[in-house]
Amino acid sequence: MNKKQLLLLLPTLVPAVASAQGRYNIVYIMTDDHTAQMMSCYDNRFVSTPNLDRIAADGVKFVNSYVANSLSGPSRACMLTGKHSHKNGFTNNEHGIFDGSQQTMPKLLQAAGYQTALIGKWHLVSEPTGFDYYNYLPGQGDYYNPSFITMTGDTVVEKGYLTNIITDKAIDWLEHGRDKSKPFLLLIHHKACHRNWLPELKYIREYEDKTFDLPATFYDDYAGRKAAAAQEMEIADNNHMDIIYDTKMFRPGLDTRLTSNYLAMIGRMDSGDRSAYDYFYDSLAIDFWNRNLEGKALAEFKYQRYMRDYAKVLKSLDDNVGRTLDYLRDAGLLDSTLVVYTSDQGFFMGEHGWFDKRFMYEQSYSTPLVMRLPDGLSARGDISEMVQNIDYAPTFLDIAGAEIPADIQGESLLPLLEGKHPKDWRQSLYYHYYEYPAEHSVKRHYGVSTADGWKLIHFYRDINEWELYNLNDDPNELNNIYGQPGTEKVTKRLKKELVRLQKQYDDQEALKLNAQ
Ligand code: SGN
Ligand code: CA
C-alpha cells in the first residue's frame, strides 16, 4: 500500500468516539471516603442521593468497582498514573511525595490537545503537574471558610462551605476559565465526606429524626482475624473515635486527644454561623453528658451521631453534584461529556464496629463508580466486570482517542461503556496497602480477589497472617477459613493467581513476602 492509500484508510482506523462533533470532554468527580452503602443507587437503606443516582440512571453503575490501595493519596496517584502504588511511588499518605515528573494521564491528555483542570483535594504533597489550571486544598482541607492554594503558590481563604465553593470554582472554570475550542478534562475533587463530617449549616438538623439500623457485624469479636483485632478504628473506643472531634459532644474542661483540632476547625466559622452551630450541638452535648452512657449504649449513641453527620455532609455533596450536572446540561455539554463519579475509596459505616478504611475487606476495598455516558456510548445499567481505579487513566486516554502507553497497568473500560462484554476480561484484582505503623494501626497487607467470590489476603511486617474468604458463603468476611481442611485446592489456586498478578504488575517486594 502506498502512502496515499494509507492516508485514505486512516479515518476508518480512528476510533468512532473521536469523530462526529469532536472528542469527548471528561468531568471526573471524586469524593473522599464516600462509600457505596451511603449511595442510594447502590444501597437505599440509609440515605437518598438523587443527584448521584441521576448519573447512574443516564449511564452505568459498576457493581464490582475496587481500589488498589484504600487510602487517599495512594488512590489519587493510582488514578493519575494508571499504575499500582509500587510503580507510581506513592504508597502511603504519611511518608509520600508524589513524583510529579512522571507520566500522568492529565499530561498525556494535555499532549493530545485537551485542556486540563484540577479543583479541590489533591493530597499528594508535591505541586500538581499536567494541569492548565489548578486550585487545590492544603492537605486535607477545611469544611468551613477553607483555604485554597493557587497556581502562584499563594494560600487564599475563601468564605463559605467547602463543597459549595469547590463546585462554584468548577463551574466558573467551565464557563470562563477554559479554552472553549478544546476538549477538556476537569477533575473535581471534594473533601466531602471525610472525617470529621462537619455539615453545612443549612443541613445541620437533617437526619436528626432518623435512627439508622446497626450493621449485623457491629459487635464483631474479630475471632480468627488478628489484623482485624489489632486495628484502632472502633466507633465504640473513645481513643479511636473521639467523643468531641468526631461526635461533637463538646464539654468545657474535657481535653481529649483531638479537642484542639476540633476547636481549630469550628473556629474557622464566622461568628453568626458559629453561634448557630454551637446552639445545635451544645444542646445535644449537654443532654449526652447528663445521660452518662456506657458500654453498648455509648457505642450505639456514637454510631447514630456518626451516621447522621456523615449523611448531612453527603446531602450537600449530592446537591452540588446536581448543580454540576445542571450546569453541563444548560451549557449544552452533557451529550459530549463523560461524567464520572467515584470516591478515593470506600468506608466502614459501623461494619465490624468501625469507621475509616484501609482493609481489603469489601466496604473499604470497593468504591462507588457511576458514569453518565455521552452520545455514542450505548451501555446502560449495571456493569459487573471487575474494575479498579488504575483503569480510569487508560479509559480517559482511550475515549480521547489518545494512545495508551504500554507501561500503564490498568485496562481501558471503553469496551464496557460501548456495551461490550469482552470474554477475556480480567477475573481477578490485586491489592496492596502499606501505611503501617500509622494512625488506625491497620497492618500492611496485599491480596487477590476473584470474580467468582474468593479473597486471599496476606498481612505482613510485624504479623504474618493469611486470610481466606468465600464471599458467596460469607459476605461479611467474618469467617477466615485459611488453613482449614478442604481449602487446600482453592488456596493453591489463589496463591498461584496472586503470584501471577505480582509478576504481571512487577511487585517484587510482595513476591518475596509470599514465602513468609
Ligand atoms: C486523617 C484522619 C484519619 C484518616 C486519614 C487518612 N485523622 O489523618 O482518620 O484515616 O486522614 O484519610 S484526622 O484526625 O486528621 O481526622 S485519607 O482519606 O485522607 O486517606
Ligand atoms: Ca479518603
Side-chain angles (χ1 to χ4, degrees), residues 31-33 71-72 76 121 194 343-347 357:
T31 40
D32 200 346
D33 295 355
L71 200 62
S72 165
R76 289 157 207 273
K121 185 170 173 179
H194 193 274
S343 173
D344 62 346
Q345 12 67 205
F347 214 66
K357 55 265 178 172

Side-chain angles (χ1 to χ4, degrees), residues 105-395:
M105 171 269 295
K107 284 186 194 174
L108 293 166
L109 283 179
Q110 244 181 353
Y114 272 63
Q115 286 264 292
T116 60
L118 158 81
I119 293 159
K121 185 170 173 179
W122 173 244
H123 211 202
L124 290 170
V125 187
S126 56
E127 198 72 7
T129 56
F131 297 99
D132 296 301
Y133 175 76
Y134 58 84
N135 196 208
Y136 67 102
L137 308 176
Q140 296 283 8
D142 276 290
Y143 282 110
Y144 301 131
N145 293 338
S147 296
F148 282 81
I149 300 173
T150 67
M151 291 175 74
T152 49
D154 298 315
T155 301
V156 178
V157 178
E158 310 258 355
K159 288 274 178 214
Y161 187 66
L162 180 59
T163 311
N164 299 331
I165 299 172
I166 288 175
T167 308
D168 290 344
K169 286 176 181 285
I171 292 174
D172 188 59
W173 183 79
L174 287 169
E175 185 63 20
H176 305 293
R178 68 194 170 96
D179 172 350
K180 290 190 175 167
S181 70
K182 293 183 176 172
F184 64 84
L185 164 80
L186 170 60
L187 307 183
I188 308 175
H189 290 190
H190 288 284
K191 172 190 173 79
C193 357
H194 193 274
R195 191 181 183 188
N196 55 341
W197 317 292
L198 292 169
E200 185 178 359
L201 287 177
K202 76 174 183 192
Y203 287 138
I204 206 161
R205 288 186 170 72
E206 202 76 18
Y207 290 104
E208 283 300 320
D209 53 359
K210 179 156 172 127
T211 301
F212 294 87
D213 288 342
L214 270 192
T217 61
F218 190 73
Y219 291 112
D220 191 355
D221 63 2
Y222 315 123
R225 288 156 290 145
K226 288 198 178 131
Q231 52 54 50
E232 296 178 351
M233 46 198 248
E234 283 167 44
I235 292 170
D237 190 325
N238 283 342
N239 294 316
H240 305 175
M241 180 176 269
D242 193 279
I243 197 71
I244 290 180
Y245 173 82
D246 290 306
T247 46
K248 300 149 192 109
M249 295 298 105
F250 182 72
R251 185 181 206 181
L254 175 64
D255 195 12
T256 65
R257 188 171 62 85
L258 294 171
T259 299
S260 59
N261 292 12
Y262 177 65
L263 293 177
M265 285 171 180
I266 62 172
R268 300 182 69 92
M269 272 183 271
D270 294 345
S271 62
D273 288 351
R274 177 62 191 273
S275 303
Y277 181 97
D278 286 347
Y279 181 78
F280 175 75
Y281 281 110
D282 283 356
S283 69
L284 291 177
I286 290 165
D287 180 55
F288 165 76
W289 290 110
N290 280 336
R291 285 159 69 192
N292 286 315
L293 299 176
E294 283 176 18
K296 285 190 170 179
L298 176 60
E300 290 174 26
F301 172 86
K302 289 176 79 182
Y303 168 74
Q304 295 299 335
R305 292 265 30 103
Y306 166 48
M307 294 294 284
R308 286 175 188 156
D309 289 342
Y310 184 108
K312 292 172 198 180
V313 172
L314 188 56
K315 178 109 179 117
S316 299
L317 185 270
D318 187 71
D319 284 357
N320 276 286
V321 169
R323 212 149 66 81
T324 309
L325 292 171
D326 290 348
Y327 172 80
L328 292 171
R329 181 197 59 210
D330 297 345
L333 288 165
L334 265 187
D335 292 344
S336 56
T337 303
L338 172 74
V339 183
V340 178
Y341 178 84
T342 187
S343 173
D344 62 346
Q345 12 67 205
F347 214 66
F348 294 101
M349 302 306 301
E351 299 88 357
H352 306 285
W354 298 339
F355 66 109
D356 215 67
K357 55 265 178 172
R358 301 162 190 267
F359 279 101
M360 198 193 169
Y361 299 144
E362 285 298 290
Q363 290 81 8
S364 51
Y365 173 39
S366 67
T367 198
L369 179 65
V370 291
M371 297 189 190
R372 191 202 183 279
L373 301 182
D375 284 354
L377 296 180
S378 61
R380 290 293 178 274
D382 288 1
I383 292 184
S384 59
E385 277 83 354
M386 296 185 104
V387 303
Q388 199 164 30
N389 55 350
I390 54 169
D391 298 336
Y392 307 165
T395 304

Side-chain angles (χ1 to χ4, degrees), residues 427-445:
Q427 295 297 306
S428 64
L429 290 177
Y430 184 62
Y431 181 85
H432 196 158
Y433 168 81
Y434 298 80
E435 194 175 275
Y436 178 87
E439 190 176 12
H440 300 302
S441 284
V442 176
K443 308 280 188 190
R444 293 188 187 206
H445 58 290

Side-chain angles (χ1 to χ4, degrees), residues 40-41 47-57 315 318-319 322 325:
S40 41
C41 65
V47 288
S48 163
T49 52
N51 291 298
L52 301 182
D53 298 359
R54 260 166 82 185
I55 299 178
K315 178 109 179 117
D318 187 71
D319 284 357
L325 292 171

Side-chain angles (χ1 to χ4, degrees), residues 444-460:
R444 293 188 187 206
H445 58 290
Y446 56 82
V448 58
S449 65
T450 66
D452 62 350
W454 288 93
K455 195 183 285 182
L456 179 74
I457 314 175
H458 184 208
F459 292 93
Y460 68 94

